[in-house]
Amino acid sequence: MKNRSIKRCLINILVHIVLGILGFIWILPIFFVLLTSFRKEGGSYKSYIMPRGYTLENYKNIFIQNGSLDFPRWFVNTLIVSVCTCILSAFFVLCVSFVMSRLRFKMRKKLMNISLILGMFPGFMSMIAVYYILKGFGLLEAGPLKLLALIMVYSGGAGLGFYIAKGFFDTIPKTVDEAAYIDGATKWDVFWKITIPLSKPIIVYTLLTSFMGPWIDYIFAKVILGQDRAYYTVGIGLWTMLEKEFIEYYYTQFFAGCVIISIPIAILFLKTQKFYVEGLSGAVKG
């Protein structure tokens, strides 16, 4: 018995050591980004990690700089696209999830299987076709229209990601719906006045995931926005700072920008963590 407890203790110590090493490896890049964002020395790559001096000028300069690299405007562009996409995508996902969870119709299972198969393929495989479709509709002619096109691209296929929300809706008893139908409610009334108020966790989860996609995307944004720097999102804008003609001057500001764009996501997760976890656990139960 004593040997067994000693062995269990050694295993626990070993597990904690491994987790500690993995945690250090995970946090090291974040630590490097923070340090570099406060680095006083200009230029790109250095032979040392710890800065020789620290300053807040990198954060100040990234907001007051004049020229073609306009970070504040990129931030606003990304915020507009992310918020609009978040609202539209969440609406599409919740509607499709409710239909797949509550209604029974011909081809339902086949549609679910097709959606599952399509979800296995990365979205950027269709970017060439999407580009020419948008070009045919004239949505790539002007900057504001390009942002509209970006919102359409991000939210258009959101309904395919209905599986998690459907799993959560399956946990809500159907007897609630039946009671509402007896009282004369329509399907829209049941969805909007009963199901949605009971689904706060999955709504928060859907909103978060819908917001994060446009916030961190590079591929679709680059294809649609092209070389129009005034309408760049932060993903493309920060990458532009690492191009040959800008990297020596903007290198430390690039890291400051990385820290800045991570703040809204971190705040959202901290504020909605409870609902986020509940949404995922509800979907797993379903």
Side-chain angles (χ1 to χ4, degrees), residues 13 39 48 57 60 79 83 98 103 107 109 111-112 122 131 137 139 145 161 180 183 205 220-221 264 273:
I13 292 172
R39 196 178 76 189
Y48 51 87
E57 288 297 312
K60 179 182 176 182
L79 189 62
V83 170
F98 177 79
L103 305 185
M107 296 288 292
K109 286 194 174 181
L111 284 173
M112 291 177 64
Y131 174 82
F137 281 103
L139 294 174
L145 289 177
D183 290 338
Y205 166 80
F220 270 113
Q273 185 179 21

Side-chain angles (χ1 to χ4, degrees), residues 38-72:
F38 290 106
R39 196 178 76 189
K40 192 172 184 179
E41 311 92 84
S44 55
Y45 300 104
K46 302 293 181 183
S47 59
Y48 51 87
I49 295 178
M50 300 300 293
R52 304 286 171 83
Y54 297 89
T55 181
L56 291 173
E57 288 297 312
N58 297 324
Y59 289 90
K60 179 182 176 182
N61 292 336
I62 201 170
F63 281 106
I64 64 173
Q65 61 192 345
N66 296 315
S68 59
L69 304 189
D70 191 352
F71 181 82

Side-chain angles (χ1 to χ4, degrees), residues 100-131:
M100 292 298 183
S101 174
R102 287 301 196 257
L103 305 185
R104 297 296 181 267
F105 52 91
K106 193 176 180 180
M107 296 288 292
R108 173 179 173 273
K109 286 194 174 181
K110 289 185 179 180
L111 284 173
M112 291 177 64
N113 291 333
I114 291 171
S115 300
L116 184 63
I117 293 170
L118 289 175
M120 295 178 181
F121 295 93
F124 63 79
M125 288 180 65
S126 62
M127 63 183 178
I128 302 300
V130 169
Y131 174 82

Side-chain angles (χ1 to χ4, degrees), residues 32-281:
F32 175 76
V33 169
L34 284 171
L35 282 179
T36 309
S37 70
F38 290 106
R39 196 178 76 189
K40 192 172 184 179
E41 311 92 84
S44 55
Y45 300 104
K46 302 293 181 183
S47 59
Y48 51 87
I49 295 178
M50 300 300 293
R52 304 286 171 83
Y54 297 89
T55 181
L56 291 173
E57 288 297 312
N58 297 324
Y59 289 90
K60 179 182 176 182
N61 292 336
I62 201 170
F63 281 106
I64 64 173
Q65 61 192 345
N66 296 315
S68 59
L69 304 189
D70 191 352
F71 181 82
R73 184 163 185 173
W74 298 339
F75 191 91
V76 173
N77 292 341
T78 311
L79 189 62
I80 292 171
V81 172
S82 297
V83 170
C84 294
T85 301
C86 174
I87 296 170
L88 287 173
S89 296
F91 179 74
F92 293 155
V93 170
L94 294 174
C95 287
V96 175
S97 303
F98 177 79
V99 169
M100 292 298 183
S101 174
R102 287 301 196 257
L103 305 185
R104 297 296 181 267
F105 52 91
K106 193 176 180 180
M107 296 288 292
R108 173 179 173 273
K109 286 194 174 181
K110 289 185 179 180
L111 284 173
M112 291 177 64
N113 291 333
I114 291 171
S115 300
L116 184 63
I117 293 170
L118 289 175
M120 295 178 181
F121 295 93
F124 63 79
M125 288 180 65
S126 62
M127 63 183 178
I128 302 300
V130 169
Y131 174 82
Y132 282 107
I133 290 171
L134 294 173
K135 189 175 182 180
F137 281 103
L139 294 174
L140 303 182
E141 303 300 326
L145 289 177
K146 289 182 180 180
L147 294 180
L148 175 62
L150 206 53
I151 294 170
M152 292 171 61
V153 168
Y154 288 139
S155 57
L160 285 175
F162 64 84
Y163 268 93
I164 294 179
K166 176 194 171 295
F168 187 92
F169 287 158
D170 288 343
T171 64
I172 301 175
K174 292 184 180 180
T175 52
V176 178
D177 301 6
E178 294 168 357
Y181 291 140
I182 292 172
D183 290 338
T186 63
K187 287 182 172 60
W188 175 257
D189 292 331
V190 171
F191 171 70
W192 190 250
K193 297 180 180 179
I194 296 176
T195 306
I196 292 299
L198 293 174
S199 308
K200 188 182 291 184
I202 200 63
I203 291 172
V204 171
Y205 166 80
T206 306
L207 289 172
L208 271 176
T209 52
S210 301
F211 182 87
M212 285 179 60
W215 193 263
I216 62 176
D217 180 58
Y218 174 85
I219 297 177
F220 270 113
K222 181 62 177 175
V223 169
I224 292 172
L225 297 176
Q227 300 300 320
D228 199 347
R229 285 181 182 165
Y231 293 94
Y232 274 3
T233 56
V234 287
I236 316 173
L238 289 176
W239 177 256
T240 305
M241 291 182 177
L242 298 181
E243 292 179 352
K244 285 184 178 180
E245 62 266 36
F246 301 118
I247 188 170
E248 285 301 316
Y249 179 75
Y250 287 101
Y251 186 74
T252 52
Q253 293 183 36
F254 163 81
F255 285 95
C258 291
V259 174
I260 291 169
I261 65 170
S262 68
I263 292 173
I265 297 294
I267 293 174
L268 280 174
F269 267 100
L270 290 174
K271 293 292 184 182
T272 61
Q273 185 179 21
K274 176 184 175 183
F275 299 113
Y276 186 84
V277 173
E278 287 178 2
L280 285 177
S281 60

